[in-house]
Amino acid sequence: MMTGIGDYLGRRAVYSPNDPAFVDSSKAEPMRLTFAEANDRARRLASALRSFGVGKGDRVAILARDGIEHLDTFFACCKLGAIHVPFNWRLHWRENLEILKAVEPKVLLFGGDFTEALKEMISGESLPGLHLIHLDGEPVAGSHSFNSLLKIPVPPDFRPEEVQPEDIAALIFTGGTTGLPKATQISHRQIGWNTLNTVIHDLRHGDRYLNVLPLFHTGGLFVYTVPLAILGGTTVLMKQFDADRALELFSAERVTVFAGVPTMFQMMAAAPGWAAADLSTLRFCTSGGAPLPVTLVETYRAAKGVCFKQGFGMTEFGPGVFALAPEDAVRKAGSIGRPNFFVEAAIMDESGAFAPPDTAGELVLRGPSGSAGYFNNDHATRAAMDDAGWFHTGDIARHDAEGYFFIVDRKKDMFISGGENVYPAEIEQALHGHSSVAMCAVIGIPDAKWGEVGLACVTLRSGTAATEAELIAFLRERLAAYKVPKSVRFFDTLPMSAAGKILKRELQAMVGGA
């Protein structure tokens, strides 16, 4: 019997069992798996998860840096009709605890790097029915060994669950302007259509992709990794991005496709190994997450003969939405490109009418690679989608007469630091927890390394005192490190509108480049 539509590895193992599927370069000896071997691991893990009571629609969470275990978990969930939930390991354990309680997984897998964080998360908490699996390192009370589970034979009557296109495959968290990150529901339909868009625009049989993007992000899991597995290519995994190691892997693993954020490309060009690095096997690099400087495009082209594609995507749609071809990188500098094949894109004005070329308005998207909304958040789902099926991104954009799109302004006050979306409202909420803070506003300011970093603008309560170091330390106890502003500036008053809102654009003008 042929496996179902959601059993991606099972199907690929039928078509090309002996082709190379994955290389985990983070192991002491790189782990190399064919599709048949990878599928066997996923079947064994799926069988173990089923023995823990995991079935269709149940959540299976993982808190670990990148490695083959992430993909084992994702593909095992696909076999069960379960939902893969990768936790952002950059978050503070308190943040991940709130997410844990919101999604209520039946199983949580964790890497040894996060044993202490996990102990903090579960200490004193009532988490009935939660099974723990340690990937490596020391176990915690009651946890099962991942490697031991993989050694258990699969029962002869094991069969994958039937999966339908609208069934949810994964929850990927996207930052919200307030409160917890929203959990975007990635359906099997979205995965299929995004794969088709990606293959049309980017991938070929035999491609070898180096993934350095976190697998808890849509960029790590769904930009190239899963589409290439479906197509039958090879993905090389790194535990965490390291510029010199990435440069070594390009030649050692004959990498043909690479994706990163501009900060990564800047770090590689400045790395000690840059001059000697052999990038000759690369067909192209893809840059996303923030605008790519033309000077960087020219540096890679002149020094290494590398062509850049640029793109724009989001967790809720695609993630492949727009692509800018290499030949347009300079001619259309600043553009996110044109919509991918099965994506409709338009600019909508405040009345809901479509805006003509070179007129700014809200970027709206429509097509079969849109998400299934937000997990347990009908209000946010309804707010994002209109009656005509357009997804409202909240981004202000325009398009030119040739159909190339340009982002004019980004979601509300969000800024991007090292490829990570940072939402000031979340930081401001934490800052207001300090007894000396009367008012505050967080804005993004330019930074040579990270693109943008946060600047906290603060007024203090009368009769109190606080220092920059004190406030930064206060935030580090409550937020992921990448969210914590790099500096604090104190003001007597902050610019306010008549409605009592802090005028952040006016504040930006006041601080300049800080």
Side-chain angles (χ1 to χ4, degrees):
M1 175 181 167
M2 192 67 167
T3 59
I5 63 167
D7 187 11
Y8 306 111
L9 272 191
R11 288 217 163 197
R12 181 41 62 189
V14 169
Y15 298 134
S16 50
N18 300 317
D19 286 357
F22 305 112
V23 179
D24 188 341
S25 70
S26 67
K27 308 300 185 192
E29 286 292 326
M31 178 184 287
R32 300 180 183 277
L33 298 172
T34 65
F35 281 103
E37 291 166 337
N39 185 52
D40 181 62
R41 287 172 64 94
R43 288 182 78 245
R44 288 171 182 266
L45 182 57
S47 177
L49 293 176
R50 185 173 278 175
S51 74
F52 293 147
V54 174
K56 193 169 185 179
D58 289 329
R59 275 78 66 197
V60 176
I62 181 169
L63 175 62
R65 287 188 169 85
D66 286 7
I68 191 63
E69 297 83 4
H70 263 276
L71 301 184
D72 293 332
T73 306
F74 172 76
F75 290 117
C77 286
C78 289
K79 290 178 183 292
L80 299 176
I83 301 175
H84 176 69
V85 186
F87 279 21
N88 181 345
W89 49 260
R90 298 184 69 179
L91 296 181
H92 195 280
W93 67 262
R94 288 190 177 92
E95 296 173 290
N96 273 325
L97 173 59
E98 292 305 308
I99 292 170
L100 178 72
K101 291 191 287 189
V103 302
E104 298 181 315
K106 279 197 172 179
V107 175
L108 172 59
L109 300 92
F110 64 97
D113 292 346
F114 304 103
T115 300
E116 294 307 313
L118 179 69
K119 289 179 180 177
E120 294 277 14
M121 287 169 63
I122 64 177
S123 176
E125 292 291 333
S126 175
L127 302 168
L130 177 65
H131 298 271
L132 300 175
I133 300 175
H134 59 273
L135 305 181
D136 52 20
E138 293 298 317
V140 301
S143 68
H144 303 265
S145 164
F146 180 86
N147 290 327
S148 295
L149 293 175
L150 289 191
K151 294 176 182 176
I152 300 174
V154 178
D157 62 348
F158 176 86
R159 296 288 183 275
E161 189 73 29
E162 287 188 13
V163 168
Q164 299 302 316
E166 291 306 317
D167 288 338
I168 304 305
L171 299 181
I172 304 295
F173 294 93
T174 180
T177 54
T178 60
L180 285 175
K182 297 191 293 291
T184 304
Q185 299 181 125
I186 309 298
S187 67
H188 289 278
R189 179 253 310 148
Q190 181 177 357
I191 291 172
W193 281 98
N194 179 67
T195 295
L196 181 55
N197 272 329
T198 304
V199 169
I200 288 171
H201 288 276
D202 287 321
L203 296 180
R204 299 176 185 170
H205 288 286
D207 268 332
R208 296 177 64 87
Y209 166 57
L210 174 61
N211 180 65
V212 299
L213 301 170
L215 287 168
F216 60 72
H217 267 323
T218 191
L221 194 55
F222 293 121
V223 165
Y224 288 126
T225 300
V226 169
L228 191 56
I230 293 172
L231 183 62
T234 307
T235 294
V236 181
L237 300 170
M238 285 182 70
K239 186 175 184 178
Q240 196 171 340
F241 176 71
D242 175 87
D244 272 313
R245 180 62 176 148
L247 291 171
E248 292 171 1
L249 287 171
F250 285 134
S251 57
E253 297 295 340
R254 308 182 310 284
V255 173
T256 63
V257 176
F258 178 73
V261 299
T263 301
M264 293 176 176
F265 292 108
Q266 290 169 340
M267 292 171 72
M268 288 191 294
W274 170 253
D278 179 4
L279 277 60
S280 61
T281 59
L282 279 170
R283 290 200 298 114
F284 63 86
C285 289
T286 294
S287 179
L292 184 69
V294 171
T295 54
L296 207 55
V297 174
E298 293 170 341
T299 294
Y300 272 74
R301 183 178 293 167
K304 303 296 180 183
V306 170
C307 292
F308 270 99
K309 293 190 176 194
Q310 294 175 65
F312 176 90
M314 52 184 50
T315 307
E316 296 96 327
F317 210 102
V321 182
F322 289 88
L324 184 70
E327 59 269 24
D328 292 325
V330 175
R331 184 176 76 92
K332 293 290 184 178
S335 172
I336 57 175
R338 293 175 290 193
N340 284 346
F341 202 91
F342 290 103
V343 174
E344 288 184 84
I347 304 300
M348 193 174 285
D349 65 22
E350 292 184 2
S351 72
F354 295 123
D358 298 315
T359 303
E362 184 180 18
L363 174 65
V364 294
L365 305 169
R366 190 166 64 178
S369 61
S371 79
Y374 301 106
F375 179 74
N376 283 350
N377 195 338
D378 291 340
H379 174 75
T381 300
R382 289 193 300 269
M385 189 75 68
D386 67 23
D387 292 341
W390 289 102
F391 173 74
H392 288 248
T393 67
D395 288 317
I396 306 304
R398 64 176 177 85
H399 63 76
D400 65 16
E402 296 180 81
Y404 290 83
F405 282 68
F406 298 77
I407 298 296
V408 176
D409 203 356
R410 287 171 297 185
K411 295 179 182 178
K412 298 183 179 178
D413 301 319
M414 186 197 85
F415 59 93
I416 298 175
S417 184
E420 294 278 0
N421 292 357
V422 181
Y423 292 86
E426 183 182 11
I427 307 168
E428 291 159 4
Q429 184 177 359
L431 260 178
H432 277 297
H434 192 283
S435 59
S436 295
V437 173
M439 295 181 62
C440 64
V442 175
I443 58 177
I445 59 173
D447 182 80
K449 181 176 183 180
W450 301 112
E452 290 177 291
V453 295
L455 167 66
C457 303
V458 173
T459 64
L460 297 177
R461 296 184 187 278
S462 178
T464 66
T467 65
E468 178 181 55
E470 177 184 348
L471 292 182
I472 288 176
F474 179 82
L475 291 175
R476 284 178 177 155
E477 287 294 315
R478 289 157 176 79
L479 298 172
Y482 71 88
K483 299 179 183 179
V484 177
K486 295 295 184 288
S487 56
V488 177
R489 185 172 293 188
F490 295 94
F491 293 79
D492 292 329
T493 59
L494 297 178
M496 306 285 289
S497 72
K501 293 183 179 180
I502 297 173
L503 299 172
K504 291 195 174 180
R505 291 192 180 184
E506 191 171 320
L507 197 55
Q508 287 272 13
M510 290 168 61
V511 303

